[in-house]
Amino acid sequence: MGKRIFLASPTMHDQEQAFIKEAFDTNWVAPLGANVDGFEREMAAYLGVGHAAALSAGTAALHLAVKLAGVKPGEPVFCSDLTFSATVNPVSYEGGRQVFIDSERESWNMDPRALEQAFRKYPQCKCVVVANLYGTPAKLDEICAICDEHGAILIEDAAESLSATYHGRQTGTFGRYNAISFNGNKIITTSGGGMLLSDDEAAIQKARFWATQSREPFAWYEHKELGYNYRMSNIIAGIGRGQLLHLDEHRARKKKIYETYQAAFSDLSAISMNPYLAESEPNFWLSCMTVDPAQSAVKPAQIMAALAAENIESRPIWKPMHLQPVFADRDFVTLQPDGHAVGAELFARGLCLPSDIKNTDADMERIIGIIKNLFKA
Ligand SMILES: *Cc1c(COP(=O)(O)O)cnc(C)c1O
């Protein structure tokens, strides 16, 4: 059996260790410290956003974003339907009720037309959570305009899209509150971690306060509000500072992987790569493909099985949230006829291809060869 090929595994360099060593040498292992301050400052500068709070996970950032948005129990929150559950779970942490919004076909993200329809049904809705799937920016101009028109707060889940741009502007800066993630398989990783981003300094300060157990400035432990233990450690932040130095390089390698697949499959009309908008530059976190059932009987499960048999990791497209048992009682807004939602179709037809930036040309040839073989005759 050939060498193991991963979907997306961590790629470390040398600087991470230097930042960690500095933390050890000064015994500033915890709590917080110079790496946390530095990582927040450097990431905010990279993205062009005012302020950042380094946290234990992207999910923690999304939770504090929902809290900052003031979502109250029972209130509707419009959420991307085709995404990882971490985009939408934090709405439930605050007692909100997700209303899932179907995808469009041009970027696979939240369909602005379906979002408008949702506002006609729930005009009282005050918060929208949009994800940029697989590193591909959503129709952010339209989504921002619709949110403004309805006085709703936009939360951008840029966990997968760090370094992707839309009209030249970084994702993770379009929402009032924005989340990024440094989970193990993301474009840069700290092993685990995340950040909340906003131009609103008071909001970021409030998030830091909540994230450190809502401890009031008293000599004793005084708490007026519910707190959380959500802050990032100074060691973890050191890994992040080192990784950030390589973010652009990681993105360039991800793009090359996407282009290699695209070129290789260009003679197979049954295969399409995940699309993106002309006004956007994705970070190509994961390359994905779909199979047109009108042109080929090959199923994504067959492709995943053929790759797995050769020790190659791939995975299904995220299963839409409106199809998840845990959210069975939530509403779903789609412009499609019953049972023909765009997200459900992408889930049925697609898969995520190995997108590890350590893949060699030979690895890519192996993967492509296995897939193309299934489409012969
Ligand atoms: C990874 C991810 C998250 C959660 O980030 P964690 O750091 O793993 O908590 C949220 N949303 C999306 C879309 C993700 O892919």
Coordinates of all heavy atoms in Angstrom, one line a residue, residues 55-62 82-88 90 130-134 157-161 179-186 191-195 285 315 318, ligand 1:
L55 N -8.6 33.0 21.4 CA -9.4 32.1 22.2 C -9.0 30.7 22.0 O -8.2 30.3 21.2 CB -10.9 32.3 21.8 CG -11.4 33.8 22.0 CD1 -12.8 33.9 21.4 CD2 -11.4 34.2 23.5
S56 N -9.6 29.8 22.8 CA -9.3 28.4 22.8 C -9.8 27.7 21.6 O -9.3 26.6 21.3 CB -9.9 27.7 24.1 OG -11.3 28.0 24.1
A57 N -10.7 28.2 20.9 CA -11.2 27.6 19.7 C -12.0 28.6 18.8 O -12.5 29.6 19.4 CB -12.1 26.4 20.1
G58 N -12.2 28.2 17.6 CA -13.1 29.0 16.7 C -14.5 29.0 17.2 O -15.2 29.9 17.1
T59 N -14.9 27.8 17.8 CA -16.2 27.7 18.3 C -16.5 28.6 19.4 O -17.5 29.2 19.6 CB -16.5 26.2 18.8 OG1 -16.1 25.3 17.7 CG2 -17.9 26.0 19.1
A60 N -15.4 28.8 20.3 CA -15.5 29.8 21.4 C -15.7 31.2 20.8 O -16.5 32.0 21.4 CB -14.3 29.7 22.3
A61 N -15.0 31.5 19.7 CA -15.1 32.8 19.1 C -16.6 33.0 18.6 O -17.2 34.1 18.8 CB -14.1 33.0 18.0
L62 N -17.1 32.0 18.0 CA -18.5 32.1 17.5 C -19.5 32.2 18.6 O -20.5 33.0 18.5 CB -18.8 30.9 16.6 CG -18.1 30.9 15.2 CD1 -18.0 29.5 14.6 CD2 -18.9 31.8 14.3
L82 N -25.3 24.8 4.7 CA -24.2 23.9 4.3 C -22.9 24.3 4.9 O -22.2 25.2 4.4 CB -24.1 23.9 2.7 CG -23.1 22.8 2.2 CD1 -23.6 21.4 2.4 CD2 -22.9 23.1 0.7
T83 N -22.6 23.7 6.1 CA -21.5 24.1 6.8 C -21.2 23.1 7.9 O -22.0 22.1 8.1 CB -21.6 25.5 7.5 OG1 -20.4 25.9 8.1 CG2 -22.7 25.6 8.5
F84 N -20.1 23.3 8.6 CA -19.8 22.4 9.8 C -20.7 22.9 11.0 O -21.0 24.1 11.1 CB -18.3 22.7 10.1 CG -17.8 21.9 11.3 CD1 -18.1 20.5 11.5 CD2 -16.9 22.4 12.2 CE1 -17.6 19.8 12.5 CE2 -16.4 21.7 13.3 CZ -16.8 20.4 13.4
S85 N -21.0 21.9 11.8 CA -22.0 22.2 12.9 C -21.5 23.3 13.8 O -22.3 24.0 14.5 CB -22.3 21.0 13.7 OG -21.1 20.5 14.3
A86 N -20.2 23.5 13.9 CA -19.6 24.6 14.8 C -20.1 26.0 14.4 O -20.1 26.9 15.3 CB -18.1 24.5 14.8
T87 N -20.5 26.2 13.2 CA -21.0 27.5 12.7 C -22.3 27.8 13.5 O -22.5 29.0 13.8 CB -21.3 27.5 11.2 OG1 -20.1 27.1 10.5 CG2 -21.7 28.9 10.7
V88 N -23.1 26.8 13.7 CA -24.5 27.0 14.1 C -24.7 26.6 15.6 O -25.7 27.1 16.2 CB -25.5 26.3 13.2 CG1 -25.2 26.7 11.7 CG2 -25.5 24.8 13.3
P90 N -23.3 27.4 18.4 CA -23.3 28.5 19.4 C -24.6 29.3 19.5 O -24.9 29.8 20.6 CB -22.1 29.4 18.9 CG -21.2 28.5 18.2 CD -22.1 27.5 17.5
V130 N -23.0 33.7 8.7 CA -22.6 33.2 7.3 C -21.2 32.6 7.4 O -20.3 33.2 7.9 CB -22.7 34.3 6.3 CG1 -21.7 35.4 6.5 CG2 -22.5 33.7 4.9
A131 N -21.1 31.4 6.8 CA -19.8 30.8 6.7 C -19.2 30.9 5.2 O -20.0 30.9 4.3 CB -19.9 29.3 7.1
N132 N -17.9 30.9 5.1 CA -17.3 30.9 3.8 C -16.7 29.5 3.6 O -15.6 29.1 4.1 CB -16.1 31.9 3.7 CG -16.6 33.3 3.9 OD1 -17.5 33.8 3.3 ND2 -16.0 34.0 4.9
L133 N -17.5 28.7 2.9 CA -17.3 27.2 2.9 C -16.0 26.9 2.2 O -15.8 27.3 1.0 CB -18.5 26.6 2.2 CG -18.7 25.1 2.4 CD1 -19.2 24.9 3.9 CD2 -19.8 24.6 1.5
Y134 N -15.2 26.0 2.8 CA -14.0 25.5 2.2 C -13.0 26.5 1.7 O -12.2 26.3 0.9 CB -14.3 24.5 1.0 CG -15.2 23.3 1.5 CD1 -16.4 23.0 0.8 CD2 -14.8 22.6 2.5 CE1 -17.1 21.9 1.3 CE2 -15.5 21.5 3.0 CZ -16.7 21.2 2.3 OH -17.5 20.1 2.8
D157 N -18.4 33.7 9.8 CA -17.5 32.5 10.2 C -16.5 32.3 9.1 O -16.8 31.6 8.1 CB -18.4 31.3 10.4 CG -17.6 30.0 10.7 OD1 -16.4 30.1 10.8 OD2 -18.2 29.0 10.9
A158 N -15.3 32.8 9.4 CA -14.2 32.7 8.4 C -13.2 31.6 8.9 O -12.0 31.7 8.5 CB -13.5 34.1 8.3
A159 N -13.7 30.7 9.6 CA -12.9 29.6 10.2 C -12.1 28.9 9.1 O -11.0 28.5 9.2 CB -13.7 28.6 11.0
E160 N -12.8 28.7 7.9 CA -12.1 27.9 6.8 C -11.5 28.8 5.8 O -10.8 28.3 4.9 CB -13.2 27.1 6.1 CG -13.9 26.1 7.1 CD -14.9 25.2 6.5 OE1 -15.3 25.4 5.3 OE2 -15.5 24.3 7.2
S161 N -11.7 30.1 5.9 CA -11.3 31.0 4.8 C -10.3 32.0 5.1 O -10.1 33.0 4.4 CB -12.6 31.8 4.3 OG -13.1 32.7 5.2
A179 N -15.2 35.3 13.2 CA -14.4 34.2 13.8 C -13.5 33.5 12.9 O -13.8 33.3 11.7 CB -15.4 33.1 14.4
I180 N -12.3 33.2 13.3 CA -11.4 32.3 12.6 C -10.9 31.2 13.5 O -11.1 31.2 14.7 CB -10.1 33.1 12.1 CG1 -9.4 33.9 13.2 CG2 -10.6 34.1 10.9 CD1 -8.1 34.6 12.7
S181 N -10.4 30.1 12.9 CA -10.0 28.9 13.6 C -8.6 28.5 13.3 O -8.1 28.6 12.2 CB -11.0 27.8 13.3 OG -10.5 26.5 13.7
F182 N -7.9 27.9 14.3 CA -6.6 27.4 14.1 C -6.6 25.9 14.5 O -5.6 25.3 15.0 CB -5.6 28.1 15.0 CG -5.7 29.6 14.8 CD1 -6.0 30.4 15.9 CD2 -5.4 30.2 13.6 CE1 -6.1 31.8 15.8 CE2 -5.5 31.6 13.5 CZ -5.9 32.4 14.6
N183 N -7.7 25.2 14.2 CA -7.9 23.8 14.5 C -6.9 23.0 13.6 O -6.3 23.6 12.6 CB -9.3 23.4 14.1 CG -9.6 22.0 14.6 OD1 -8.9 21.5 15.4 ND2 -10.6 21.4 14.0
G184 N -6.6 21.8 13.9 CA -5.6 21.0 13.4 C -5.5 20.9 11.8 O -4.4 20.9 11.3
N185 N -6.7 20.9 11.2 CA -6.6 20.8 9.7 C -6.8 22.1 9.0 O -6.9 22.1 7.7 CB -7.6 19.7 9.3 CG -9.0 20.1 9.6 OD1 -9.3 21.2 9.9 ND2 -9.9 19.1 9.5
K186 N -6.9 23.2 9.7 CA -7.1 24.5 9.0 C -5.8 24.9 8.3 O -4.8 24.4 8.4 CB -7.6 25.5 10.0 CG -9.0 25.2 10.6 CD -10.1 25.2 9.6 CE -11.5 24.9 10.1 NZ -11.9 24.4 11.3
S191 N -2.6 23.8 16.7 CA -3.1 22.5 17.3 C -4.6 22.7 17.7 O -5.4 21.8 17.4 CB -2.3 22.0 18.5 OG -2.5 22.7 19.7
G192 N -4.9 23.8 18.2 CA -6.3 24.1 18.5 C -6.4 25.6 18.9 O -5.4 26.0 19.6
G193 N -7.4 26.3 18.5 CA -7.5 27.7 18.9 C -8.3 28.5 17.9 O -8.7 27.9 16.9
G194 N -8.6 29.7 18.3 CA -9.4 30.5 17.4 C -9.3 32.0 17.8 O -8.6 32.3 18.8
M195 N -9.9 32.9 17.0 CA -9.9 34.3 17.3 C -11.2 34.9 17.0 O -11.8 34.5 16.0 CB -8.8 35.0 16.5 CG -7.6 35.5 17.4 SD -6.4 36.4 16.4 CE -4.9 35.7 17.1
W285 N -8.7 26.2 0.8 CA -8.5 25.3 2.0 C -8.7 23.8 1.6 O -7.8 23.0 1.9 CB -9.3 25.7 3.2 CG -9.2 24.8 4.3 CD1 -8.1 24.4 5.0 CD2 -10.3 24.1 5.0 NE1 -8.4 23.5 6.0 CE2 -9.7 23.3 6.0 CE3 -11.7 24.1 4.8 CZ2 -10.5 22.5 6.8 CZ3 -12.4 23.3 5.7 CH2 -11.8 22.5 6.6
R315 N -13.1 13.1 2.2 CA -14.3 13.1 3.0 C -15.5 13.7 2.3 O -15.3 14.4 1.4 CB -14.0 13.7 4.4 CG -14.0 15.2 4.4 CD -13.9 15.7 5.8 NE -13.7 17.1 5.8 CZ -13.1 17.8 6.8 NH1 -12.6 17.2 7.8 NH2 -13.1 19.1 6.8
W318 N -19.8 18.6 3.8 CA -20.6 18.8 5.0 C -22.1 18.4 4.8 O -22.7 18.8 3.8 CB -20.6 20.2 5.5 CG -19.3 20.8 5.9 CD1 -18.8 22.0 5.4 CD2 -18.3 20.4 6.8 NE1 -17.5 22.3 5.9 CE2 -17.2 21.3 6.8 CE3 -18.2 19.2 7.7 CZ2 -16.1 21.1 7.6 CZ3 -17.1 19.1 8.5 CH2 -16.1 20.0 8.5
Ligands
LIG1 C1 -13.3 24.5 12.0 C2 -14.6 25.2 11.9 C3 -15.1 25.9 13.0 C4 -14.7 25.7 14.4 O1 -13.5 25.9 14.7 P1 -12.8 25.2 16.0 O2 -11.5 26.0 16.2 O3 -12.5 23.8 15.6 O4 -13.7 25.3 17.2 C5 -16.2 26.7 12.8 N1 -16.8 26.8 11.6 C6 -16.3 26.2 10.5 C7 -17.0 26.4 9.2 C8 -15.2 25.4 10.6 O5 -14.7 24.7 9.6

